[in-house]
Amino acid sequence: MLEKLLVMQEQISKELNKTDLPTSVQDLRVKYLGKKGELTQISRSMGSLSPEERPIMGQKVNEVKDTIEKMLAEKMQELEKALLKKQLKKEKIDVTLPGRVLPMGSKHILDTVTDEIKKIFLGMGYSVYNGPQIESDYYNFERLNLPKDHPARDMQDSFYITDSVLLRTHTSPMQARTMDKLSPQLPVKIICPGTVYRRDDDATHSPMFHQVEGLLVDKDISLAHLKGTLLSFARQMFGEDRQIRLRPSFFPFTEPSAEVDISCFMCGGKGCRLCKNTGWIEILGSGMVHPSVLEMSGYDPTQVTGFAFGMGVERIAMLKYGIDDMRLLFENDVCFLAQF
Amino acid sequence: MQVSYRWLQDYVDIDINPEELAERLTMAGLCVDRVERPWAGISGIVAGKIVKLEKHPNADKLLICQIDMGGKTIQVVTGAPNVAVGNIVPVAVVGAKLPKGEIIKSELRGVESFGMLCSMSELNIDSSAEAKAGIWLLLDSIKPGTDLVSELMLDDAVLEFDLTPNRSDCLSVINIAREVAAILGKKVKLPKISYLESKEDIADTFAIDVQNKELCPRYTAKLVQGVKVGESPLWMQHYLRSVGMRPINNVVDISNFVMLEWGQPLHTFDFDTLAGGKIVVRSVKPGEKIVTLDEEERELPQNTTLICDGEKAVCIAGIMGGMNTEITQATENILIESACFDMTAIRRASKALGLRSESSQRFEKGIDIFTTHIASERAVQLLVNLCNGVATKGMLDSWDDAGEPYVCIKLNSAKVNAVLGTSYDPAQIKDVFERLEFGVENQGEDWLIKVPSYRRDIFIEEDLIEEVARLLGYENIPTALPFGEITEGRISEEQAFYDKLVERCMALGLRQVINYGFIGPKAWDLLGLAESDALRKTITIKNPLNIEQSIMRTTLLPGMLATAARNNSRRNNDLAIFERGSVFIPGSEELPDEPMHLAVLLMGRETASWQSVGREYDFYYLKGILELLCKKAKVSNWYLLAADDISFLHPGQGAHIYVNYKKAGYIGQLNPLVGKNYELNGRAYILELNLDLLYTAKSSVFEFSPLAKFPPSTRDLALVAKNDIPAVKVEEEIKRQGGNYLKSLKLFDVYEGIQLEAGYRSLAYALTFQALDRTLTDEEVNAAMEAILNGLQDNLQVRLR
């Protein structure tokens, strides 16, 4: 009997070696281990054995059964693996073909830049305020120390709606509007992004453009604080190794006033085409809030001081992204938009 | 304003080169845009006297000149038509360098030539046709052999300023020199003015009568007799040219020179053409006209100030003189006007006349009344010295209010440091004002600063603080961050809402565009709007750049369509774009309402790839966008009402968008007729939504739905309904009847065709039922389904397919 078992085991091993289909493995299982299978027959015939032999033989039968099971399983696994391997081979693709084109939107570069500016100043504790694009002469000029017939009004050629209403020429009226709202609260620490208009149209001017105004009014604010704040801004916006330079300038609503240049981020200050060989690029106008502006807005200029600045979003976008014609920003060619 | 470097050197010792000077001036607040050297590289130009002139034997048009070069004589062949024996001319000798190239010894038709006679244009001095036409004939007083490069100051540089409006005092070379002196720590050297006068007094024979002191606070007149009109000396011609003015004759040149030097415009009259022995300054009378120096007859606007003699108008005050009293070659006696006119009046008159001059530019920015008489005397000195004139004694002057020529402002050094964030020593600060030649008086803790009258930009202490900052250098201002109370940077909830909407549009595959806030009125006709349409009620710009930018938009649509058309014309036919922007709605207030709008436009299809063509955009694509935007904005109370009356939409594919029961926008296919008007290349789908209304309708609470632990039951429901029953009614009915366990309802098929009766369509829904606390039984779901079917049948006559 024992011999029979071993012969059978040998037999299965041979047959398995010849098999290359999972179904044939299944057939072998039925043939040997099935209800009518050969091993089943053998174990049934154990009844004829003596009670002493029976447990020994039983153990042997189980051993052989386990071995066969293991052989079958191993063969099965082996065949499945081979089959999968074959299939995967068939599924080879050209990974260099382009990927699917998925719909992906884009933000307008001017909004992106405005968001960047907003984020920097929000981080420094400034709040964002918005105001009207159609503005009164009162807020656009008079409250900014620009009475009627002031020669400096020439700096900003305006679109008029009536004699006293116009398209705002800068975001600076928001200084007065916000101070009116917050006075006598301190500090006033705001930025105001917005659309502005001037009567100019060429490669470097658009009749509509965007600015961000900044204002900080508090006790003991100095020009040094303005410089520190703008240095921090310039570094976050244009890179950590930027330097800034203040140049005296004139705005009727600030005194002293300063133009702010940053060291050229293209050449690092050595001089190149972008900075017209000066090493510096003008990015914004700023200054200490003029005492009359504070006074008209309900703050006592002997008690508080402040600084203000205003920057052109288009200019910053064009500098940062190397755009050479302002008109591109408003043509909205999707090939342009898709680049950002 | 342009200034010659050499000219500045007449008033201050400058020991740095023009480029360095430009940098220093810029950093001190007088921005120099450019330093030009128009004559750089020109060399070898020498004055020569033509001593002999003969015809070229082999060429009709050429002349052979023998030229005395101050000792030696050279031969030059020239084609110039205007030379004669005795002329002093500029000769470019062999080896000379001109803008056109180097001069070499040459042979013209067999005759040797050792140089070239130069015209003004060849020396880059004047490029007019007149200057090109002939050789420059120099003043006889110039000696042969004179080095003209230095005599003509061809080694000079010109600084081009971009002055800020407050520094109009620097429309004067002397005032710029004062700045240079302050920056370099030097003393400014003003010209010494002195001349002899004749015995007779002008007051004996002439008078001035200023009728309106407000329009003309000061008028002075000075007489110079026996003047010989001719050419100005070379240095003066050079100075005038360097600032962009053409020399005319010595009298006119002197008046321009003095204006440039002192910033005080002068006017010169031919004294003998003035009638009635007086000058009257008055306002214009209605209908009055004058022929100005540019030979134009001008009708004079109201409120113009006129200078008249005893009979007639002779000059538009501060703007331009009249032809009738002009200086001519024959003029001998000259009346010099040096006056101060009201800046606003000049500004308005110049604007109304459309006439701006060097003179009006200075008056409208304001001039120094304390300089008025000095400029006049300077002109007299030059007329005496350069034109052989004789000064008549005395000056007529309408000004009797000779106050102190300075204003006093208190300054505190602690305040200077507080505003600048610096720690300057008081001595340093004081030194700034001494360099500027401002008076400084101690007054206890403070100083009293006496600001000279020509610095018309300084009124308050802060102005003085800026003087300290700029002269001690903005680069020396320290860098510090503000301290004080910690503030929270905030963005308004409304703003955050708009910003998020933009982000979501991008996430949906849309590209943001920004269009102008103004549009052209033509848009309303292109959109086919009725005359009475509310969108036509716009804010109009009084002075637009052009008609296409003349009214403020009341809808984003025209901008979106123009953008689509522009893209179509560049073969960008697949568009998925959006704009977020204000529109302008006139109301009863002074300022209009500026609601924030969103517009979306789709055209063509999604981008194709090699595997598949992109999905074509249609109404439902656009509506899908709207649904997601509303959902994510937590706005549930919105719906569409189909509309066939929106002129710019397809009558069968358009709807009003209602939010909170208010009309908040529209959605639909663009009417193909409108598309044609805009020259679009295909069908377009558009929506526009008032975001302010959307904002007010949003829910501010977030309702979290717990995830179900028990399995759902799903049932499909294929229905047959009459075509004209809107799908939304069917959905509402299913939801109403479906009970609490109906979790979701999804339309997965719409069918219309031969398998159905005409006039009917099939709608197929997948329904999901689910309870949070247990698995639903078949019976429960069946009951719900039955209720749904009954409801549909009873209320809508919709049956199971």
Side-chain angles (χ1 to χ4, degrees):
Chain A
M1 206 171 178
L2 185 60
E3 202 164 319
K4 230 175 163 180
L5 278 173
L6 292 174
V7 169
M8 193 178 72
Q9 191 178 324
E10 187 67 15
Q11 182 70 20
I12 292 173
S13 172
K14 275 182 191 156
E15 284 182 52
L16 269 178
N17 275 341
K18 282 185 269 172
T19 309
D20 56 1
L21 284 174
T23 46
S24 318
V25 178
Q26 201 51 43
D27 292 346
L28 282 177
R29 170 186 296 275
V30 174
K31 181 173 167 195
Y32 292 99
L33 303 180
K35 275 185 186 161
K36 290 173 186 166
E38 286 178 29
L39 190 71
T40 322
Q41 304 282 347
I42 291 174
S43 54
R44 276 200 196 128
S45 68
M46 278 209 313
S48 60
L49 295 176
S50 67
E52 293 81 32
E53 276 179 318
R54 224 179 282 161
I56 299 165
M57 208 55 205
Q59 198 187 343
K60 269 288 175 230
V61 168
N62 280 341
E63 271 175 32
V64 170
K65 191 180 174 186
D66 282 352
T67 310
I68 294 172
E69 285 278 14
K70 210 175 145 204
M71 281 159 60
L72 288 169
E74 272 171 8
K75 185 67 184 178
M76 198 65 172
Q77 213 176 5
E78 183 190 314
L79 287 178
E80 275 171 355
K81 236 174 166 173
L83 207 69
L84 185 65
K85 204 172 161 190
K86 217 167 127 191
Q87 195 188 345
L88 292 185
K89 205 171 174 187
K90 261 196 344 214
E91 286 172 0
K92 183 177 161 61
I93 58 165
D94 177 2
V95 297
T96 69
L97 280 172
R100 279 194 195 207
V101 184
L102 300 170
M104 181 162 177
S106 53
K107 193 180 272 196
H108 196 285
I109 186 62
L110 294 176
D111 248 33
T112 303
V113 170
T114 306
D115 285 352
E116 281 178 59
I117 298 169
K118 278 198 309 205
K119 215 167 123 188
I120 291 169
F121 284 102
L122 279 166
M124 292 197 259
Y126 288 72
S127 288
V128 182
Y129 281 77
N130 293 283
Q133 295 178 34
I134 298 185
E135 186 54 284
S136 61
D137 186 277
Y138 175 70
Y139 276 114
N140 195 74
F141 289 129
E142 285 180 36
R143 285 289 299 273
L144 294 166
N145 216 15
L146 271 150
K148 286 214 160 61
D149 285 311
H150 193 291
R153 282 196 180 197
D154 282 354
M155 289 164 94
Q156 304 178 0
D157 206 352
S158 322
F159 288 113
Y160 277 93
I161 306 297
T162 66
D163 287 343
S164 59
V165 176
L166 72 163
L167 304 187
R168 68 174 170 192
T169 53
H170 46 187
T171 41
S172 308
M174 282 307 290
Q175 290 186 26
R177 280 187 177 274
T178 316
M179 282 193 275
D180 280 359
K181 200 163 159 181
L182 300 182
S183 163
Q185 204 177 302
L186 283 176
V188 178
K189 201 171 175 188
I190 58 159
I191 58 159
C192 314
T195 310
V196 301
Y197 301 83
R198 286 185 205 172
R199 280 189 95 247
D200 268 327
D201 198 1
D202 58 44
T204 52
H205 295 94
S206 165
M208 181 186 99
F209 58 103
H210 299 81
Q211 286 188 334
V212 179
E213 191 80 8
L215 175 70
L216 171 57
V217 176
D218 203 352
K219 282 196 180 350
D220 303 323
I221 295 299
S222 74
L223 192 60
H225 297 139
L226 171 67
K227 205 169 169 182
T229 302
L230 294 177
L231 178 64
S232 170
F233 164 74
R235 291 187 168 169
Q236 292 185 63
M237 194 72 190
F238 293 100
E240 277 309 321
D241 46 359
R242 293 281 69 71
Q243 295 297 326
I244 64 165
R245 176 176 89 165
L246 266 57
R247 271 183 296 119
S249 187
F250 169 72
F251 305 104
F253 38 95
T254 50
E255 191 68 40
S257 303
E259 293 283 357
V260 179
D261 301 335
I262 56 166
S263 57
C264 180
F265 48 84
M266 195 102 119
C267 62
K270 283 192 233 74
C272 68
R273 202 177 57 90
L274 183 69
C275 58
K276 292 179 194 140
N277 284 315
T278 62
W280 296 97
I281 300 173
E282 186 180 322
I283 55 160
L284 58 87
S286 64
M288 299 301 293
V289 181
H290 196 285
S292 321
V293 174
L294 287 174
E295 205 164 348
M296 283 188 275
S297 304
Y299 288 92
D300 178 355
T302 63
Q303 299 300 312
V304 302
T305 46
F307 63 68
F309 54 85
M311 59 186 99
V313 179
E314 279 75 3
R315 178 160 176 80
I316 290 176
M318 289 171 77
L319 282 173
K320 202 170 169 181
Y321 295 91
I323 302 162
D324 55 359
D325 188 340
M326 191 180 279
R327 285 173 287 214
L328 287 172
L329 296 170
F330 299 101
E331 280 179 356
N332 298 311
D333 187 315
V334 287
C335 299
F336 174 81
L337 301 175
Q339 293 182 39
F340 304 104
Chain B
M1 179 74 181
Q2 279 170 238
V3 175
S4 141
Y5 177 74
R6 291 275 296 263
W7 194 353
L8 280 174
Q9 283 180 314
D10 287 352
Y11 313 109
V12 54
D13 292 325
I14 304 173
D15 46 14
I16 52 178
N17 68 35
E19 285 73 17
E20 256 178 86
L21 178 64
E23 174 74 17
R24 296 283 294 274
L25 281 162
T26 299
M27 291 312 290
L30 292 189
C31 179
V32 179
D33 265 354
R34 257 190 303 279
V35 177
E36 301 263 24
R37 293 172 180 273
W39 313 282
I42 296 181
S43 68
I45 314 297
V46 180
K49 184 173 188 174
I50 300 177
V51 289
K52 191 174 163 200
L53 210 52
E54 52 194 346
K55 284 208 162 159
H56 192 294
N58 305 323
D60 283 351
K61 287 189 176 163
L62 294 181
L63 295 168
I64 302 166
C65 319
Q66 302 302 325
I67 302 176
D68 171 10
M69 301 298 290
K72 79 174 190 192
T73 302
I74 62 168
Q75 173 173 296
V76 173
V77 179
T78 181
N82 67 326
V83 287
V85 170
N87 284 163
I88 305 281
V89 291
V91 184
V93 298
V94 170
K97 293 207 173 76
L98 287 178
K100 275 186 193 162
E102 191 175 330
I103 301 297
I104 49 167
K105 184 189 140 190
S106 61
E107 218 181 83
L108 285 107
R109 301 212 170 197
V111 178
E112 286 189 314
S113 179
F114 296 86
M116 187 181 93
L117 309 189
C118 303
S119 70
M120 277 197 228
S121 92
E122 277 153 341
L123 295 172
N124 259 3
I125 285 174
D126 188 342
S127 59
S128 65
E130 196 187 333
K132 279 181 187 154
I135 301 304
W136 186 7
L137 306 178
L138 299 171
L139 285 172
D140 294 346
S141 54
I142 294 170
K143 289 201 172 66
T146 306
D147 171 17
L148 286 179
V149 172
S150 109
E151 190 72 17
L152 296 173
M153 300 191 221
L154 299 182
D155 51 356
D156 201 0
V158 176
L159 278 61
E160 208 176 308
F161 287 87
D162 180 13
L163 294 175
T164 51
N166 59 325
R167 292 309 304 269
S168 57
D169 60 299
C170 288
L171 293 171
S172 142
V173 181
I174 281 183
N175 284 345
I176 293 178
R178 284 172 163 143
E179 279 289 310
V180 173
I183 291 166
L184 302 181
K186 310 259 174 164
K187 277 265 173 266
V188 72
K189 303 171 288 184
L190 296 182
K192 292 205 168 54
I193 302 172
S194 66
Y195 47 84
L196 295 173
E197 290 186 329
S198 68
K199 289 211 173 94
E200 50 173 330
D201 195 315
I202 183 173
D204 297 339
T205 51
F206 205 76
I208 49 178
D209 171 15
V210 177
Q211 298 190 343
N212 186 335
K213 287 237 164 203
E214 265 170 39
L215 293 177
C216 176
R218 187 174 193 188
Y219 195 99
T220 70
K222 183 96 191 152
L223 181 60
V224 180
Q225 291 177 288
V227 162
K228 198 168 170 302
V229 177
E231 198 173 322
S232 312
L234 283 179
W235 61 265
M236 187 178 282
Q237 291 191 33
H238 170 76
Y239 286 168
L240 292 178
R241 285 199 188 94
S242 74
V243 303
M245 277 187 145
R246 285 194 65 181
I248 312 281
N249 60 48
N250 51 8
V251 175
V252 175
D253 291 354
I254 285 168
S255 101
N256 283 332
F257 173 83
V258 172
M259 170 181 73
L260 292 164
E261 188 180 54
W262 292 91
Q264 164 71 54
L266 300 180
H267 187 67
T268 46
F269 298 100
D270 183 334
F271 183 70
D272 300 314
T273 61
L274 293 172
K278 63 173 175 179
I279 285 285
V280 180
V281 184
R282 62 164 170 85
S283 279
V284 74
K285 291 174 190 157
E288 226 168 337
K289 286 179 188 165
I290 186 171
V291 178
T292 42
L293 283 172
D294 52 5
E295 298 179 29
E296 272 204 47
E297 187 180 45
R298 296 181 185 270
E299 197 146 337
L300 296 168
Q302 252 192 329
N303 297 325
T304 308
T305 311
L306 269 186
I307 312 298
C308 307
D309 62 10
E311 293 168 358
K312 58 186 182 290
V314 293
C315 180
I316 308 174
I319 300 177
M320 197 176 270
M323 278 276 277
N324 50 13
T325 49
E326 187 186 18
I327 304 296
T328 65
Q329 290 296 319
T331 301
E332 283 182 5
N333 302 320
I334 289 165
L335 187 79
I336 304 166
E337 163 199 297
S338 183
C340 188
F341 300 108
D342 176 66
M343 54 197 275
T344 307
I346 297 290
R347 180 189 170 83
R348 287 186 177 151
S350 154
K351 226 175 179 174
L353 278 162
L355 185 60
R356 285 193 94 202
S357 59
E358 289 283 339
S359 158
S360 72
Q361 260 187 63
R362 285 173 173 78
F363 280 122
E364 67 185 42
K365 287 174 178 140
I367 58 159
D368 174 24
I369 200 163
F370 289 91
T371 302
T372 302
H373 65 286
I374 301 174
S376 176
E377 287 175 338
R378 172 70 164 154
V380 173
Q381 176 193 27
L382 292 167
L383 285 168
V384 168
N385 291 347
L386 304 176
C387 316
N388 300 319
V390 178
T392 302
K393 192 176 153 192
M395 177 186 279
L396 298 175
D397 191 344
S398 71
W399 197 40
D400 36 31
D401 168 35
E404 297 294 344
Y406 50 77
V407 278
C408 295
I409 302 168
K410 231 169 61 173
L411 181 70
N412 178 291
S413 65
K415 168 109 186 242
V416 173
N417 283 323
V419 170
L420 300 180
T422 48
S423 40
Y424 289 134
D425 192 74
Q428 264 177 300
I429 298 172
K430 197 174 171 192
D431 178 58
V432 165
F433 296 105
E434 277 161 2
R435 274 153 64 188
L436 284 166
E437 302 195 331
F438 289 11
V440 183
E441 260 176 36
N442 289 328
Q443 221 181 45
E445 299 269 293
D446 302 327
W447 288 305
L448 199 65
I449 305 289
K450 292 179 171 175
V451 182
S453 57
Y454 53 81
R455 282 301 301 273
R456 303 183 69 258
D457 58 317
I458 296 178
F459 308 99
I460 56 172
E461 192 173 18
E462 279 71 11
D463 296 324
L464 293 174
I465 294 173
E466 184 173 62
E467 295 301 297
V468 175
R470 72 186 185 90
L471 283 166
L472 292 181
Y474 272 34
E475 67 273 19
N476 293 321
I477 305 287
T479 300
L481 283 174
F483 46 86
E485 203 179 305
I486 299 288
T487 50
E488 39 171 12
R490 280 208 174 199
I491 191 160
S492 74
E493 207 185 331
E494 199 170 358
Q495 201 53 46
F497 177 82
Y498 298 148
D499 286 352
K500 267 190 191 153
L501 216 88
V502 167
E503 300 292 335
R504 288 181 188 129
C505 285
M506 282 162 51
L508 288 165
L510 305 173
R511 298 197 187 288
Q512 187 184 16
V513 302
I514 294 180
N515 291 304
Y516 284 153
F518 30 54
I519 56 172
K522 198 179 73 186
W524 306 141
D525 297 331
L526 296 181
L527 294 177
L529 292 187
E531 285 303 323
S532 59
D533 198 297
L535 291 177
R536 283 186 186 259
K537 270 185 73 186
T538 54
I539 306 253
T540 304
I541 297 167
K542 282 210 304 191
N543 57 337
L545 281 173
N546 56 62
I547 187 83
E548 289 313 311
Q549 301 177 350
S550 64
I551 58 174
M552 298 308 287
R553 63 185 179 189
T554 49
T555 158
L556 302 181
L557 185 57
M560 292 298 277
L561 293 178
T563 285
R566 197 177 307 116
N567 273 290
N568 283 180
S569 75
R570 296 172 183 182
R571 287 186 227 157
N572 302 325
N573 291 326
D574 297 321
L575 300 175
I577 55 175
F578 77 101
E579 176 169 18
R580 182 257 318 244
S582 297
V583 300
F584 306 88
I585 311 296
S588 51
E589 305 281 312
E590 185 185 35
L591 299 183
D593 196 19
E594 298 185 11
M596 189 64 81
H597 275 207
L598 172 78
V600 179
L601 180 145
L602 302 174
M603 269 192 91
R605 41 178 76 237
E606 281 182 351
T607 318
S609 56
W610 55 275
Q611 287 172 301
S612 57
V613 292
R615 272 182 298 177
E616 197 169 352
Y617 296 125
D618 63 6
F619 179 88
Y620 297 108
Y621 198 114
L622 187 60
K623 189 179 172 188
I625 290 171
L626 178 63
E627 283 168 350
L628 277 174
L629 290 179
C630 289
K631 185 174 169 195
K632 288 289 161 189
K634 287 182 289 180
V635 173
S636 54
N637 186 0
W638 71 276
Y639 53 90
L640 301 185
L641 274 189
D644 59 6
D645 60 342
I646 304 174
S647 70
F648 48 83
L649 292 186
H650 186 306
Q653 294 189 21
H656 292 293
I657 304 170
Y658 282 79
V659 172
N660 260 359
Y661 310 107
K662 279 193 212 112
K663 218 183 256 183
Y666 58 83
I667 178 171
Q669 188 190 144
L670 186 73
N671 191 319
L673 281 175
V674 176
K676 220 173 141 191
N677 288 343
Y678 277 92
E679 296 176 21
L680 298 186
N681 289 348
R683 301 284 174 116
Y685 300 87
I686 48 164
L687 76 78
E688 182 164 357
L689 188 57
N690 180 324
L691 294 185
D692 290 356
L693 287 176
L694 199 70
Y695 175 73
T696 56
K698 79 176 175 68
S699 151
S700 48
V701 281
F702 185 87
E703 280 178 52
F704 173 71
S705 330
L707 300 182
K709 291 197 185 80
F710 298 91
S713 286
T714 56
R715 300 287 168 93
D716 285 354
L717 192 58
L719 303 169
V720 176
K722 272 202 172 144
N723 269 346
D724 58 1
I725 297 176
V728 67
K729 294 265 179 216
V730 176
E731 279 184 25
E732 277 168 9
E733 189 62 29
I734 295 174
K735 281 182 190 158
R736 187 154 51 237
Q737 306 294 349
N740 289 339
Y741 299 129
L742 177 58
K743 265 268 128 22
S744 81
L745 155 74
K746 207 176 249 168
L747 180 71
F748 66 87
D749 189 40
V750 179
Y751 174 78
E752 233 172 312
I754 44 165
Q755 292 176 39
L756 288 176
E757 228 177 302
Y760 284 82
R761 64 173 170 173
S762 153
L763 300 168
Y765 293 94
L767 277 57
T768 305
F769 295 90
Q770 198 168 34
L772 279 176
D773 52 350
R774 64 204 160 86
T775 307
L776 291 175
T777 62
D778 266 357
E779 289 71 30
E780 284 173 298
V781 178
N782 289 344
M785 287 299 284
E786 203 177 315
I788 289 169
L789 284 172
N790 289 340
L792 287 168
Q793 181 67 53
D794 296 348
N795 300 327
L796 297 170
Q797 287 76 54
V798 170
R799 59 188 162 75
L800 204 56
R801 183 173 171 193

